[in-house]
Amino acid sequence: MTSAAPTPLRLVPSVQHYAWGDPAFLPDLLGVNSDGKPWAEAWYGAHPSAPSTVFQGEQVRPLDVLLTEAPGLLGERVLRRFGRLPFLLKILAAHKPLSIQVHPSEAQAAEGFSREQEQRIPLNAPQRSYRDPYAKPELLVALTNFRALCGFRPPEQIAAALRGLPELQELLPPFLPNDTGLRRLLEAYFALPSPPLTRAWEQVLVRLSGRPLDQDDPAFWAMVAHRELAEDKPPDRGLLFVFLLELIHLTPGQGIFLPARVPHAYLQGCGIELMGNSDNVLRAGLTPKHIDPQELLRVARFDACVPIPLAPFWDEAQQEGTFPTPSDEFELSQIRIVPGLKIERSSWGPEILLSLPNDTETQVQLVYANGVLKLLRGQAAFVPAGVSYRVEASGEASVFRAVVPGGGEVGGFRGRHPARLAFGTSGLRGLITDITDLEVYVNTRGFLDFLVATGDAAPGTTVALAGDLRPSTDSPTRSILRAVARAVEDSGMRPLDLGKIPTPALTLYSLEQGIPGVMVTGSHIPFDRNGIKFIRSSGEVLKEDENPILEAVGR
């Protein structure tokens, strides 16, 4: 007897009523009456702390339970790579500022989770920082105008902001305008005794309240955060981050990717969030929840600056726009549907489809071999691996599609398909006829995405570059080094050209500075070949790094 073929299943989200939530946006979107509570997030996924409910025939069960009982729904490749559904889709509605926070890398999460398990801190304890051993990169796509703090401002702007807070500045050591100086400043700030710091902040807030402020001024959000969160309590220490972090404004349809170790806080607005299936958050303020500033400072990257706002890459033939990120856990796309248009898809791994029609009357339909699943606004479907389906709608609609990246063919560029390069000693090598600017750019971006995914780099990280004396490395007619530099810039990082030096010199510099590097060199091979050596902040890449790097190159 054979088991029934997998089919799309309707999901009911788990709603979170955090204090910062909007009382109207999510009830309106989900078609329910507002009860006056703050509706902060709707979770579509299998996180054990708040799993979605899934309808499977006459049975109603949590999605995490279903996937434990039937892991084959994830597909062989996802099950082998992750052993679980690796992403969590949310709708977020922030009426008030969220906490200043950082998410750990996978290695940091595993270490922190193990440490707190050994300390026997219950998983649901308020003082628990690491609730699972997983990383939590996240992508947010704005549905409304969205304000956030993300990444540190340039050192000269931080110095200017501190000069504008003289009441605080006199309590702190002189600020050295670099990454080390920023860390020392924050360590000194959190070590200050409460009475003088409270008096200083009270003086700052009184002064700021006497001048006109707009939403492009960090002081505006400092006043909002204090008004919404402090009530009759002393000013929150997290207020300083409002002046240290970049203030960004996303318009509807724009996205931002937050890798591990980047300090951030959402201030106001609604959006779609897709993230690693984790609940690890380290907080430093602007919240009544547990804060652990020392752990946050240990985990955070002080070279992290604001990530580049993302727009989807549209495939007009498929009417699907994909938001590019370095994550290997998830990928988010938006499908545009109009009446009469039928979009054919096939799932190689698990998918979650979220229906967002332009009006409350429009229905989105998933048509599959054995039936039809109808979705209204805010409703979602879990699509197991191995399902072919068609998306239709009775009116204009967007369908947000969360998947695990991969499974598709490698795309081309201007009629060319990039040649696949093979690893030699800690780098990729090949004939210079195969290592064109396209291969150089794609492979360098893959390496940098791998660094971001592992927490070894972030937007703003300096990447040391160097090369040998081969004509293909850097000359007027051909320059692999220039293509590498362009890939670094387009990743939101900072290329630092160290010139023509030997590989050991570049490696030593990277180790001393704690930054990654890329060396263009063919080493001992003939001049008709060349190579790109990749260097992590801890040294040259190892054998176990090669497959994850090549997977990132493929993405």
Side-chain angles (χ1 to χ4, degrees):
M1 182 176 178
T2 58
S3 60
T7 62
L9 304 170
R10 187 191 307 278
L11 286 182
V12 175
S14 178
V15 175
Q16 305 293 329
H17 297 285
Y18 304 137
W20 47 262
D22 188 307
F25 182 85
L26 276 172
D28 179 65
L29 186 139
L30 298 174
V32 299
N33 294 325
S34 175
D35 55 8
K37 294 180 181 178
W39 288 55
E41 295 177 342
W43 289 24
Y44 301 84
H47 195 283
S49 66
S52 296
T53 303
V54 62
F55 287 82
Q56 189 181 33
E58 298 299 319
Q59 293 184 309
V60 180
R61 285 185 292 172
L63 181 58
D64 62 330
V65 173
L66 173 64
L67 295 179
T68 299
E69 295 174 352
L73 297 176
L74 297 172
E76 181 183 349
R77 287 169 59 185
V78 171
L79 189 60
R80 185 172 63 249
R81 168 67 178 86
F82 298 102
R84 64 190 190 119
L85 183 67
F87 58 76
L88 174 62
L89 183 67
K90 297 181 182 180
I91 304 177
L92 175 145
H95 181 65
K96 302 175 183 178
L98 280 67
S99 60
I100 302 296
Q101 58 187 260
V102 162
H103 305 307
S105 68
E106 187 170 358
Q108 290 168 334
E111 184 275 330
F113 180 78
S114 176
R115 174 170 21 104
E116 292 190 339
Q117 288 290 89
E118 290 176 1
Q119 294 169 352
R120 300 185 182 277
I121 303 174
L123 281 176
N124 59 355
Q127 73 272 25
R128 181 97 189 200
S129 294
Y130 295 92
R131 301 185 184 277
D132 54 64
Y134 304 111
K136 189 185 174 186
E138 61 188 44
L139 166 69
L140 182 131
V141 175
L143 295 174
T144 67
N145 283 308
F146 199 94
R147 304 276 180 167
L149 299 167
C150 183
F152 288 108
R153 300 168 72 183
E156 61 274 12
Q157 292 185 19
I158 289 176
L162 293 172
R163 289 194 295 271
L165 301 170
E167 301 91 340
L168 292 175
Q169 195 174 29
E170 66 181 24
L171 301 177
L172 295 167
F175 170 59
L176 301 175
N178 55 40
D179 303 343
T180 302
L182 181 55
R183 178 188 291 274
R184 289 174 178 168
L185 174 82
L186 285 168
E187 289 172 345
Y189 175 74
F190 280 106
L192 287 173
S194 293
L197 184 60
T198 295
R199 287 193 297 272
W201 269 119
E202 288 172 344
Q203 294 168 4
V204 169
L205 294 167
V206 168
R207 178 167 55 80
L208 294 179
S209 66
R211 75 183 206 201
L213 301 170
D214 62 45
Q215 294 190 36
D216 294 323
D217 188 335
F220 173 90
W221 295 105
M223 297 298 293
V224 169
H226 177 67
R227 182 179 68 245
E228 297 289 355
L229 301 172
E231 298 177 351
D232 56 350
K233 301 175 184 176
D236 193 293
R237 285 187 186 241
L239 288 173
L240 181 61
F241 283 89
V242 180
F243 297 91
L244 302 183
L245 301 182
E246 289 273 15
L247 176 61
I248 65 169
H249 174 205
L250 298 177
T251 57
Q254 283 187 308
I256 190 167
F257 176 72
L258 294 168
R261 307 180 64 189
V262 176
H264 62 280
Y266 296 148
L267 298 173
Q268 192 176 79
C270 305
I272 303 288
E273 262 194 310
L274 183 58
M275 60 187 60
N277 192 10
S278 168
D279 198 24
N280 286 324
V281 183
L282 303 171
R283 302 177 182 90
L286 302 190
T287 179
K289 294 182 179 180
H290 172 65
I291 67 169
D292 191 346
Q294 282 68 40
E295 185 70 4
L296 180 142
L297 296 182
R298 187 183 74 84
V299 165
R301 291 196 67 98
F302 289 88
D303 61 349
C305 69
V306 62
I308 301 170
L310 299 175
F313 286 119
W314 282 99
D315 182 336
E316 297 297 340
Q318 299 292 324
Q319 287 298 294
E320 186 169 11
T322 302
F323 292 87
T325 77
S327 173
D328 65 346
E329 294 101 333
F330 59 76
E331 182 176 270
L332 183 68
S333 62
Q334 180 182 358
I335 303 173
R336 294 185 297 205
I337 310 288
V338 296
L341 181 65
K342 299 177 180 181
I343 303 294
E344 305 279 350
R345 292 290 182 271
S346 184
S347 61
W348 74 272
E351 302 184 1
I352 292 179
L353 303 181
L354 174 62
S355 169
L356 288 182
N358 291 7
D359 58 67
T360 57
E361 304 301 320
T362 294
Q363 280 191 346
V364 170
Q365 295 188 146
L366 300 187
V367 183
Y368 54 97
N370 300 318
V372 177
L373 179 60
K374 297 180 179 181
L375 301 174
L376 296 174
R377 194 177 185 193
Q379 294 183 337
F382 174 79
V383 182
V387 176
S388 295
Y389 61 91
R390 185 172 71 245
V391 187
E392 304 174 357
S394 59
E396 294 186 358
S398 288
V399 174
F400 283 89
R401 182 180 182 223
V403 303
V404 179
E409 294 183 2
V410 176
F413 180 75
R414 295 181 179 174
R416 256 196 96 243
H417 285 269
R420 292 186 179 274
L421 305 182
F423 262 97
T425 305
S426 70
L428 296 163
R429 291 181 175 179
L431 292 166
I432 59 173
T433 52
D434 289 337
I435 305 182
T436 70
D437 286 357
L438 178 59
E439 282 76 24
V440 172
Y441 184 89
V442 168
N443 282 274
T444 303
R445 285 295 295 264
F447 168 62
L448 298 173
D449 282 357
F450 161 77
L451 294 181
V452 171
T454 57
D456 201 30
T461 295
T462 297
V463 181
L465 308 181
D468 65 15
L469 299 175
R470 293 165 182 264
S472 59
T473 295
D474 187 29
S475 67
T477 58
R478 177 75 197 280
S479 178
I480 293 175
L481 200 55
R482 284 200 296 270
V484 170
R486 177 59 181 267
V488 173
E489 290 175 343
D490 287 355
S491 294
M493 302 181 197
R494 300 166 180 161
L496 175 63
D497 186 1
L498 300 181
K500 307 301 191 325
I501 59 175
T503 302
L506 174 63
T507 304
L508 178 61
Y509 184 85
S510 291
L511 285 169
E512 288 179 340
Q513 300 298 316
I515 60 175
V518 180
M519 179 76 190
V520 180
T521 178
S523 187
H524 58 278
I525 57 180
F527 268 30
D528 65 344
R529 302 167 187 269
N530 210 330
I532 312 169
K533 283 183 177 285
F534 297 136
I535 300 164
R536 304 187 65 165
S537 62
S538 56
E540 291 188 355
V541 297
L542 303 175
K543 195 68 180 175
E544 59 261 31
D545 298 326
E546 292 180 5
N547 281 338
I549 292 173
L550 291 176
E551 289 172 2
V553 170
R555 290 194 296 274

